[in-house]
Amino acid sequence: MHNPHRFAGKVAIVTGAARGIGAATAQRFAEEGAGVLLVDIIPEVMETAAAIGGTGFVVDITARDAGLRIEEAAQAAFGRIDILVNNAGIGGSKSLKDTDDTLMDRIIDTNLNAMLRVTRAIAPHLPRPGGRIINVSSIFGLIGYPGTTAYAVAKAGVAQFTRQLAVELTPEGILVNAVAPGVVETPMTAERLRDPYYIKLQVKPTPIGRVGTPSEQAAVIAFLASEDAAFVSGVVIPVDGGYTATRYTPNDE
């Protein structure tokens, strides 16, 4: 059940918000009363923002000045920033032997380095106390999985960044947490979800027996941004249907 007043008067920035988890998260914040700046490199973010009554902002998250530009856009639109959701990321990773320097740099810069730079620019503008930072890691940052080396390393970095930032900012009143999504049905996973081997490795061993939805990730992100999570900081929550907590083999016979 959504609370239309839970984030009344608050402003949230959501990166990677044109589609998938980011779009669902932005919608959840808007439905619960927040002003939302939706950030993405894809121009479609303007349509996504218009549909939920938010403000869209097109920027390449890896640009060195992206954080400053995002902060200025949020201040211009809303006059304040309370919540930062670092969701922007890309897939396309391969095993290390098949990963050239160009791919390695692109994946790690987009999924990790850009997050550090954007957070560094936004964090000084969050309220103390009351600010919230929620990062999107991945179960691939928590466990080993074949063929995802650079992506997995970047997402493991996101998890450690979350813990490190909690040490630095929680004493000032800013809570920092992360979610680690399991398999979620998004445009980024659409091709893999057509691969029987991926289904065998990822979906079937999930005790809940299905892939997740973006709105299920958004619900946990919204919890971490709310006052209900006032005593939670420095944690990475797997939102994965039980995948990382179990060793489950379905009986297909």
Side-chain angles (χ1 to χ4, degrees), residues 30-41:
E31 289 173 351
E32 299 204 6
V36 189
L37 183 74
L38 293 80
V39 178
D40 210 300
I41 194 173

Side-chain angles (χ1 to χ4, degrees), residues 35-215:
V36 189
L37 183 74
L38 293 80
V39 178
D40 210 300
I41 194 173
I42 305 173
E44 181 185 334
V45 73
M46 304 305 291
E47 299 173 16
T48 306
I52 67 168
T55 298
F57 185 63
V58 179
V59 68
D60 181 352
I61 201 76
T62 65
R64 294 290 170 146
D65 65 345
L68 175 61
R69 292 169 62 190
I70 292 167
E71 182 268 325
E72 290 177 344
Q75 297 286 9
F78 302 105
R80 61 181 294 156
I81 306 167
D82 300 277
I83 302 159
L84 171 63
V85 179
N86 285 308
N87 168 72
I90 58 171
S93 192
K94 300 177 181 180
S95 63
L96 184 60
K97 66 181 178 61
D98 296 322
T99 303
D100 61 23
D101 286 353
T102 300
L103 179 61
M104 187 184 304
D105 290 346
R106 179 169 175 262
I107 288 176
I108 292 178
D109 198 38
T110 305
N111 290 313
L112 180 58
N113 294 338
M115 184 181 295
L116 271 67
R117 290 193 295 264
V118 168
T119 304
R120 185 177 60 193
I122 300 298
H125 303 277
L126 296 174
R128 293 158 164 79
R132 297 287 193 273
I133 298 172
I134 301 98
N135 302 321
V136 178
S137 180
S138 168
I139 59 170
F140 293 159
L142 306 179
I143 62 169
Y145 186 82
T148 61
T149 303
Y151 180 84
V153 168
K155 289 299 188 178
V158 171
Q160 183 58 25
F161 174 55
T162 300
R163 292 183 282 264
Q164 184 64 32
L165 203 62
V167 172
E168 297 177 9
L169 295 183
T170 302
E172 301 179 15
I174 297 173
L175 305 184
V176 186
N177 294 289
V179 295
V183 182
V184 179
E185 191 170 3
T186 70
M188 197 167 82
T189 61
E191 183 176 349
R192 286 199 165 195
L193 287 173
R194 291 191 289 268
D195 180 354
Y197 182 63
Y198 186 79
I199 298 295
K200 179 180 179 180
L201 282 183
Q202 284 293 118
V203 180
K204 288 190 175 181
T206 301
I208 206 167
R210 61 173 175 83
V211 299
T213 67
S215 63

